[in-house]
């Protein structure tokens, strides 16, 4: 081992690290995973082939076994000397109790194989879902986003930080000192020109797909009404709704409607619709913005971008009618094979100030060659699974009809199918859009405007669908755990407490909504956490989790807010939460002590474990027989139960015995003595008389024709018949 380590040092630092990591990784994988699995599989294989047979359990009848003679013995009669009929034992039906036990055992075996098949197939499907879902996301996507954020947003710089832009001066300062150097690769740190970095971003690892652009959305002047009391001070205003008040006219530089420059080729003053630019509406923090606007395509050089921005700044391109500024571009990172869609939004509300928002979406459009085949195979298997589940659920609905919709897990199955079909459709739609984008980029060599909003939204919807499928498929594992005693107990607890929880949810919702509205009205104008209904509900829920700032609430409303805060803490935290816990604990206690409310399916777990030990030979104890013979509690009961069968079968046995004796002993001597014949006749007559007496005693009480003074019991009569049979055998 030491020699190998020292020899590996000669490979160099990088190769040595890779070699050592692969060496130790393969060693620990073999020791901890591969070899134990091999030993286990070999043990199972040999235990199945070399299983010890228990000779004591042989069911062969001793009378049917071949008899071997000693050296001083010989057969009294030669074989085939006299024709003897083959002995055929009379059919005797098995015991009903044993049949019931054997039937239950077989039913458990069938159910066990169904359970194992269901679990195996579903675990394989779940693995396929995980592979398909997580293959759509790359671990390197987060690092690409973090790199772009640090490059464009300049976090930590007080004067250039993106999050510190709250007025127009800071916006122009950021666009002139950060944006151009982030969009275009500048000179190297030694002053060399980036000749081989044309089209790359400032980080020199992401290649832009076409030029970047800036888009402005404006409103029409006079789109809102000024209060009649203030019209002498303010002439007009412009605000929402944006869609009905969007500015679409053609302007000259400086937003002038008259002059010779209206028809000048200045696209930043000419409105273009969303269909012309192949863009989609965008939902910002303050509202939904239309897809059109006034576009500015950035130059391919840093100085050119700075000149464009300086010119717009001097022409007051951003004024009090501006409502949103978008800076958008797309990039490709060849090192990790990822595409990035970057959107930086500046919102200029009528209330004043600037609201900033930046989003960097990283997606994968084509898979690496080494993983592409595996991914395609998994996607095909996933599609086949969904088709199988769809056909199975349709047949279940046709067969069960209304009863199908009474099972909650069936809804989970239907949702999995619906979301899976939607994800399949979105996958092929994304594939079509990706092929179109790549073909356009190949034809234009990256010089044409390319938008990736459609494919970005499609990829986002695909992620949502796969997330729902992955969530529901994983949650369905709870159904497979119903055979576990504890899991079944928890599930039944929720079933028992369902009605009480529904009533509690209604009460809690009413109380919680009331306090949410109170905090919205009291604190909404002073605290951002309570400015909207959703934020107020989120902050109120955080209070229950002991996450709040009482000092801010007291400063915003010194008298009323503390009163409602303490009322909320007492009612929601101390009363309602404890009521919720009481409902759960009570239901759990009821299910735990009531055997009727517990599921019996957990017995299958023990049965499966016993069978598994039998198959693998892991258990020390032998496998329990399929059924055990019933042990009677009283001998008299056995005799009385079987006495009727013995009496009915005795004449047949006697006839067979006499016929056998005649063929063996009296076949040659036809002249039998009259005394022996009379004795035989007498014996047979006596047995017949006893039989008739036994039958009449069972059917109609004691026989009057019987010669005995006292009627015998069924047990004593059966014993007497056996004595007669043995006497006849002695003859």
């Amino acid at each position: 081992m030491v020699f190998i380590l020292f020899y590996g040092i000669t490979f160099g630092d990088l190769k040595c690290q890779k070699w050592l990591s692969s060496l130790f990784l393969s060693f620990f994988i073999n020791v901890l995973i591969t070899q134990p699995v091999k030993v286990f599989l070999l043990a199972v294989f040999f235990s199945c082939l070399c299983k010890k047979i228990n000779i004591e359990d042989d069911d062969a009848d001793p009378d049917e076994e071949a008899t071997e003679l000693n050296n001083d013995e010989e057969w009294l009669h030669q074989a085939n000397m006299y024709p003897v009929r083959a002995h055929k034992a009379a059919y005797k039906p098995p015991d009903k109790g044993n049949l019931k036990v054997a039937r239950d055992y077989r039913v458990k075996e069938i159910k066990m194989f169904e359970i194992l098949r269901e679990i195996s197939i579903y675990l394989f499907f779940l693995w396929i879902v995980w592979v398909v879902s997580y293959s759509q996301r790359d671990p390197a996507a987060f690092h690409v986003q973090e790199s772009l954020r640090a490059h464009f947003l300049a976090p930590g710089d007080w004067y250039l930080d993106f999050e510190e832009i709250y007025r127009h001066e800071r916006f122009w300062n950021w666009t002139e000192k950060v944006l151009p150097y982030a969009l275009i690769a500048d000179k190297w740190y030694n002053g060399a020109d980036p000749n081989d970095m044309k089209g790359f971003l400032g980080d020199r690892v992401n290649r832009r797909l076409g030029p970047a652009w800036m888009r402005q959305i404006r409103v029409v002047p006079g789109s809102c009404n000024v209060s009649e009391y203030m019209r002498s001070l303010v002439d007009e205003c412009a605000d929402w709704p944006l869609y009905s008040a969007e500015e679409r006219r053609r302007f000259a530089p400086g937003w002038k409607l008259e002059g010779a420059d209206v028809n000048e080729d200045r696209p930043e003053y000419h409105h273009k619709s969303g269909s012309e630019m192949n863009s989609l509406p965008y939902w910002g923090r303050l509202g939904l913005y239309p897809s059109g606007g006034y576009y500015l395509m950035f130059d391919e050089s840093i100085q050119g971008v700075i000149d464009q921005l300086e010119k717009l700044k001097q022409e007051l391109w951003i004024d009090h009618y501006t409502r949103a500024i978008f800076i958008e571009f797309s990039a490709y990172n060849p090192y990790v094979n990822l595409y990035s869609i970057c959107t930086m939004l500046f919102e200029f509300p009528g209330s004043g100030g600037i609201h900033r928002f930046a989003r960097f979406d990283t997606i994968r459009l084509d898979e690496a060659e080494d993983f592409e085949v595996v991914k395609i195979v998994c996607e095909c298997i996933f599609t086949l699974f969904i088709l199988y589940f769809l056909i199975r659920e349709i047949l279940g609905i046709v067969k069960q009809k209304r009863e199908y919709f009474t099972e909650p897990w069936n809804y989970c199955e239907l949702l999995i199918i619906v979301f899976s079909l939607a994800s399949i459709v979105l996958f092929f739609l994304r594939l079509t859009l990706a092929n179109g984008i790549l073909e356009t980029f190949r034809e234009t060599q990256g010089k044409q405007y390319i938008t990736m909003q459609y494919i970005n939204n499609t990829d986002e919807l695909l992620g949502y669908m796969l997330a729902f499928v992955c969530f529901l498929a994983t949650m369905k594992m709870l159904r497979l755990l119903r055979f576990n005693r504890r899991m079944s107990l928890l599930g039944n607890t929720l079933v028992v407490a369902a009605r009480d929880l529904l009533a509690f949810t209604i009460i809690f919702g009413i109380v919680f909504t009331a306090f949410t509205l109170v905090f919205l009205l009291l604190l909404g104008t002073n605290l951002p956490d309570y400015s909207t209904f959703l934020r107020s509900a989120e902050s109120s829920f955080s209070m229950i989790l002991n996450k709040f700032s009482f000092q801010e609430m007291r400063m915003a409303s010194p008298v009323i807010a503390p009163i409602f805060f303490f009322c909320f803490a007492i009612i929601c935290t101390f009363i309602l939460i404890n009521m919720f816990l009481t409902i759960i604990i009570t239901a759990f206690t009821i299910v735990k002590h009531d055997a009727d409310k517990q599921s019996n399916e957990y017995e299958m777990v023990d049965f499966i474990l016993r069978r598994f030990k039998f198959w693998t030979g892991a258990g020390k104890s032998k496998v329990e027989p399929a059924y055990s013979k019933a042990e009677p509690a009283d001998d008299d009961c056995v005799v009385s139960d079987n006495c009727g069968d013995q009496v009915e079968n005795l004449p047949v046995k006697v006839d067979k015995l006499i016929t056998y004796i005649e063929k063996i002993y009296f076949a040659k001597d036809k002249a039998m003595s009259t005394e022996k014949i009379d004795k035989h006749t007498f014996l047979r007559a006596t047995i017949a008389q006893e039989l008739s007496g036994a039958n009449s005693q069972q059917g109609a009480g004691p026989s009057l024709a019987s010669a005995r003074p006292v009627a015998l019991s069924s047990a004593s009569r059966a014993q007497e018949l056996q004595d007669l049979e043995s006497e006849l055998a002695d003859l």
Side-chain angles (χ1 to χ4, degrees):
M1 189 67 179
V2 176
F3 173 76
I4 295 176
L5 293 177
F6 281 108
Y7 180 74
I9 298 176
T10 60
F11 295 157
D13 187 19
L14 182 61
K15 290 184 178 180
C16 182
Q17 291 179 3
K18 293 182 178 180
W19 179 72
L20 288 177
S21 60
S22 62
L23 175 65
F24 285 107
L25 183 62
S26 60
F27 174 76
F28 285 109
I29 288 177
N30 286 331
V31 172
L32 300 178
I33 299 177
T34 307
Q35 297 303 327
V37 170
K38 288 182 179 179
V39 172
F40 176 77
L41 294 178
L42 289 175
V44 172
F45 175 75
F46 286 111
S47 64
C48 294
L49 292 182
C50 306
K51 187 183 298 182
K52 182 179 179 181
I53 301 176
N54 194 352
I55 303 177
E56 297 177 357
D57 295 338
D58 191 5
D59 295 333
D61 193 352
D63 295 338
E64 299 176 1
E65 297 179 356
T67 304
E68 297 182 359
L69 297 179
N70 296 328
N71 296 329
D72 57 346
E73 293 179 343
E74 63 179 5
W75 293 105
L76 181 61
H77 304 283
Q78 297 295 329
N80 299 329
M81 178 180 295
Y82 304 103
V84 180
R85 290 187 303 173
H87 174 69
K88 294 183 180 180
Y91 171 75
K92 182 178 181 180
D95 185 71
K96 294 182 178 180
N98 296 337
L99 281 177
K100 184 178 182 303
V101 174
R103 188 181 298 110
D104 294 340
Y105 187 85
R106 181 55 182 165
V107 168
K108 284 185 178 181
E109 279 189 338
I110 296 175
K111 191 174 182 180
M112 176 191 67
F113 287 114
E114 292 178 356
I115 293 171
L116 294 178
R117 183 173 64 253
E118 178 186 0
I119 293 176
S120 302
I121 294 176
Y122 192 78
L123 289 178
F124 180 67
F125 168 72
L126 188 60
W127 180 78
I128 293 294
V129 169
W130 289 344
V131 172
V132 173
S133 300
Y134 291 106
S135 64
Q136 306 299 324
R137 297 293 180 262
D138 195 287
F142 174 77
H143 302 289
V144 173
Q145 293 183 16
E146 287 296 308
S147 175
L148 292 173
R149 285 182 178 274
H151 201 63
F152 280 88
L153 306 185
D157 192 323
W158 179 82
Y159 193 64
L160 300 176
D161 192 351
F162 179 85
E163 297 297 334
E164 297 297 331
I165 299 175
Y166 54 86
R167 65 175 187 265
H168 293 74
E169 292 79 5
R170 289 219 170 186
F171 170 79
W172 288 114
N173 184 66
W174 177 83
T175 55
E176 292 176 355
K177 295 183 178 181
V178 176
L179 183 62
Y181 301 95
L183 284 176
I184 302 170
D186 197 5
K187 293 183 179 182
W188 287 93
Y189 47 83
N190 60 354
D193 293 330
N195 297 325
D196 56 343
M197 290 294 169
K198 185 178 180 180
F200 277 80
L201 297 179
D203 59 0
R204 294 181 172 84
V205 294
N206 289 280
R207 174 59 161 86
R208 276 185 291 106
L209 302 178
W213 65 91
M214 183 164 61
R215 174 168 60 107
Q216 179 182 163
I217 297 176
R218 299 173 60 84
V219 293
V220 177
S223 57
C224 64
N225 298 323
V226 181
S227 175
E228 58 181 355
Y229 301 103
M230 296 296 172
R231 287 177 184 174
S232 59
L233 301 177
V234 181
D235 296 335
E236 63 178 7
C237 68
D239 204 359
W240 310 100
L242 186 58
Y243 266 92
S244 60
E246 182 189 2
E247 182 66 82
R248 296 185 177 89
R249 293 178 291 180
R250 191 183 185 94
F251 291 90
W255 302 110
K256 298 177 182 179
L257 289 174
E258 297 179 358
D261 295 335
V262 174
N263 296 324
E264 185 181 353
D265 189 14
R266 295 289 300 276
E268 58 268 24
Y269 289 100
H270 299 167
H271 185 273
K272 293 183 180 180
S273 63
S275 58
E276 294 181 64
M277 302 303 293
N278 196 24
S279 60
L280 295 172
Y282 196 90
W283 194 281
R285 290 186 175 180
L286 300 181
L288 181 64
Y289 296 96
S291 57
Y294 297 89
Y295 284 82
L296 170 66
M297 296 295 172
F298 286 116
D299 195 76
E300 291 295 330
S301 64
I302 296 178
Q303 189 60 41
V305 174
I306 294 176
D307 293 341
Q308 287 178 319
L309 294 173
E310 181 64 25
K311 189 175 182 179
L312 294 178
K313 179 181 177 181
Q314 297 300 326
E315 294 174 352
L316 293 178
W317 194 64
I318 299 177
D319 57 10
H320 55 285
Y321 295 116
T322 302
R323 288 296 173 263
I325 296 291
F326 288 88
I327 298 176
E328 302 171 281
F329 63 92
S330 304
Y332 169 68
N333 191 320
Y335 301 98
V336 291
N337 193 28
L338 293 176
Y339 296 81
S340 299
I341 300 94
C342 308
T343 303
M344 287 168 281
L345 170 62
F346 301 89
E347 298 175 279
F348 299 82
S351 58
I354 301 177
H355 295 266
R356 307 145 311 275
F357 175 73
R359 178 168 179 174
F360 300 89
D361 296 312
T362 304
I363 62 176
R364 180 185 293 278
L365 299 184
D366 52 346
E367 194 61 54
E369 295 181 358
D370 54 349
F371 189 70
E372 185 177 4
V373 177
V374 177
K375 182 181 176 182
I376 293 175
V377 171
C378 292
E379 290 169 350
C380 294
I381 296 175
F382 174 76
T383 305
L384 294 177
F385 264 114
I386 297 304
L387 294 177
Y388 165 72
F389 290 152
L390 178 62
I391 296 174
R392 187 185 66 179
E393 297 306 314
I394 291 176
L395 295 178
I397 294 174
V398 173
K399 183 178 180 180
Q400 301 180 14
K401 297 181 179 179
R402 293 184 178 180
E403 295 181 359
Y404 176 87
F405 298 97
T406 59
E407 177 62 35
W409 288 108
N410 291 337
Y411 291 97
C412 180
E413 193 74 32
L414 292 177
L415 289 176
I416 291 175
I417 294 174
V418 170
F419 288 128
S420 300
L421 294 176
S423 64
I424 293 173
V425 174
L426 291 172
F427 173 80
F428 284 104
L429 178 60
R430 189 190 67 172
L431 183 62
T432 304
L433 294 174
N435 292 334
I437 291 174
L438 297 178
E439 186 65 27
T440 302
F441 184 79
R442 187 181 299 109
E443 293 175 356
T444 61
Q445 298 298 321
K447 298 179 181 180
Q448 184 179 344
Y449 164 82
I450 297 176
T451 179
M452 298 184 67
Q453 287 184 336
Y454 283 97
I455 194 171
N456 184 34
N457 292 340
T458 303
D459 183 79
E460 188 174 358
L461 290 176
L462 176 61
Y464 293 157
M465 297 298 106
L466 291 177
F468 286 129
V469 172
C470 191
F471 171 77
L472 294 173
T474 307
M475 288 295 294
K476 198 180 174 183
M477 285 290 295
L478 296 175
R479 176 175 172 80
L480 301 180
L481 295 177
R482 67 186 184 274
F483 306 103
N484 185 274
R485 185 191 301 268
R486 293 179 178 83
M487 294 298 176
S488 177
L489 187 64
L490 296 178
N492 293 330
T493 300
L494 296 178
V495 173
V496 172
R499 292 187 176 181
D500 295 334
L501 290 177
L502 179 61
F504 170 81
T505 303
I506 296 174
I507 296 174
F508 181 81
I510 294 173
V511 175
F512 187 80
T513 303
F515 279 102
T516 300
L517 294 174
V518 168
F519 292 134
L520 173 63
L521 297 175
L522 291 177
L523 309 173
T525 57
N526 298 315
L527 298 178
D529 293 338
Y530 302 91
S531 58
T532 62
F533 179 79
L534 292 178
R535 289 187 177 182
S536 180
E538 181 182 355
S539 301
S540 300
F541 190 78
S542 299
M543 290 184 194
I544 300 177
L545 302 177
N546 198 22
K547 295 180 180 180
F548 58 89
S549 178
F550 177 75
Q551 187 65 24
E552 293 181 356
M553 299 174 63
R554 190 178 66 84
M555 294 297 294
S557 180
V559 179
I560 305 299
I563 295 176
F564 277 98
F565 170 76
F566 285 111
C567 293
F568 178 81
I570 293 173
I571 294 176
C572 291
T573 305
F574 291 100
I575 297 178
L576 293 180
I577 297 301
N578 284 284
M579 287 178 59
F580 174 77
L581 296 177
T582 303
I583 292 172
I584 296 296
I585 293 172
T586 303
F588 181 80
T589 305
I590 293 174
V591 173
K592 187 176 181 180
H593 292 87
D594 193 350
D596 295 335
K597 298 184 183 302
Q598 298 185 23
S599 175
N600 294 326
E601 292 182 329
Y602 62 82
E603 295 179 358
M604 291 301 302
V605 177
D606 299 334
F607 181 79
I608 292 174
L609 290 177
R610 290 198 303 268
R611 295 295 298 174
F612 180 76
K613 290 181 180 179
F614 170 68
W615 291 335
T616 58
K620 295 182 179 180
S621 59
K622 296 181 180 180
V623 179
E624 296 181 1
Y627 59 90
S628 57
K629 296 181 179 180
E631 296 181 358
D634 192 358
D635 294 340
D636 294 339
C637 297
V638 177
V639 175
S640 61
D641 293 339
N642 299 331
C643 182
D645 296 337
Q646 292 181 1
V647 170
E648 292 177 359
N649 296 331
L650 185 58
V652 178
K653 292 182 178 181
V654 170
D655 291 339
K656 290 182 179 180
L657 178 62
I658 293 176
T659 303
Y660 185 81
I661 293 174
E662 289 178 351
K663 289 183 178 181
I664 296 299
Y665 295 99
F666 307 111
K668 293 183 179 181
D669 191 3
K670 297 294 184 180
M672 173 80 60
S673 63
T674 305
E675 181 179 358
K676 290 185 178 181
I677 294 176
D678 292 340
K679 190 171 184 179
H680 277 226
T681 305
F682 173 74
L683 288 174
R684 297 180 68 174
T686 304
I687 291 172
Q689 182 179 1
E690 292 294 334
L691 289 176
S692 62
N695 293 332
S696 61
Q697 182 179 359
Q698 289 182 352
S703 175
L704 297 176
S706 177
R708 298 179 182 273
V710 181
L712 296 176
S713 64
S714 60
S716 59
R717 188 174 298 275
Q719 183 64 35
E720 184 176 352
L721 292 177
Q722 293 178 0
D723 296 337
L724 290 174
E725 185 177 359
S726 62
E727 183 179 356
L728 182 61
D730 294 336
L731 293 176

